[in-house]
Amino acid sequence: MHKTERDAVISVTDPAEACRAALDAGLTVVTADPLNCETPVPAAPDGLLTPAGRFYLRNHFPIPVLDDAAWRLSVSGLVREPLELSLDELREMPADTFVATLECAGNGRTLFSPAPDGAQWQLGAVSTAEWTGVRLDEVLDRAGIRAGATELVFRGADRGTVDGSAEPIWFERSLAMEDARES
């Protein structure tokens, strides 16, 4: 267990248990802790949608277990009003459904010589699914993004240490505002 910035305790899924579940689902384990698994090719009978249990898994740190009732989506920074939404509040907002393919940037890493650092993916770090949820621009509109905001930073609940860092860091990624607003 570790504490977040808010001092809320988040338990971490047992790595061995998560690995067993991935193997039982038919995934190919690349690393067990943190858990990273490839989707066997071909995984979907129709060749388009990847069954949920066979969607590739990419983790940089241990998998946190979150409390649905306590979890909040926070939007702050260059906004009119900092925003926090519960999972129930998000579920009440209009939802959209679309099909999208996700691919890890390291997919195919084993094909390089010499092999670059990182999880040694073959070609299974890519999956396609139908996604349903609140559109990002709906959330941004509620927060009132101010002029001058150019990047969004997404912070996951997962965190851990990396080489050269004595303190744990959060897993974060950014997205250009113009890409976030693209439909």
Side-chain angles (χ1 to χ4, degrees):
M1 296 228 217
H2 66 274
K3 296 211 176 217
T4 67
E5 287 179 317
R6 295 180 173 181
D7 293 329
V9 175
I10 297 175
S11 63
V12 175
T13 297
D14 177 274
E17 183 180 316
C19 188
R20 273 191 305 279
L23 287 168
D24 289 347
L27 293 171
T28 303
V29 174
V30 175
T31 62
D33 189 12
L35 184 60
N36 290 290
C37 300
E38 292 190 302
T39 300
V41 182
D46 62 8
L48 177 63
L49 297 181
T50 307
R54 299 192 83 188
F55 205 94
Y56 82 96
L57 301 173
R58 176 60 172 121
N59 293 287
H60 292 85
F61 303 118
I63 303 167
V65 177
L66 305 175
D67 177 358
D68 288 358
W71 180 89
R72 297 289 182 269
L73 172 68
S74 299
V75 183
S76 61
L78 287 176
V79 296
R80 185 177 59 249
E81 184 76 31
L83 176 68
E84 283 201 0
L85 296 168
S86 69
L87 195 53
D88 285 340
E89 290 170 320
L90 284 167
R91 288 179 175 139
E92 291 171 6
M93 293 175 67
D96 195 10
T97 299
F98 61 95
V99 173
T101 299
L102 299 182
E103 180 178 19
C104 177
N107 196 34
R109 192 174 274 150
T110 59
L111 303 175
F112 290 92
S113 181
D117 290 340
Q120 294 302 301
W121 298 102
Q122 292 186 41
L123 296 175
V126 59
S127 299
T128 302
E130 183 176 79
W131 303 87
T132 298
V134 177
R135 293 179 55 86
L136 178 57
D137 57 352
E138 290 281 334
V139 174
L140 298 177
D141 288 346
R142 279 200 183 193
I145 300 298
R146 293 180 186 253
T150 59
E151 291 283 322
L152 298 171
V153 176
F154 298 89
R155 173 179 282 180
D158 50 333
R159 67 182 228 164
T161 56
V162 294
D163 291 341
S165 172
E167 296 295 318
I169 63 166
W170 297 95
F171 180 72
E172 297 177 323
R173 284 291 181 258
S174 67
L175 179 67
M177 186 63 69
E178 65 186 56
D179 293 333
R181 293 289 193 178
E182 197 173 278
S183 320

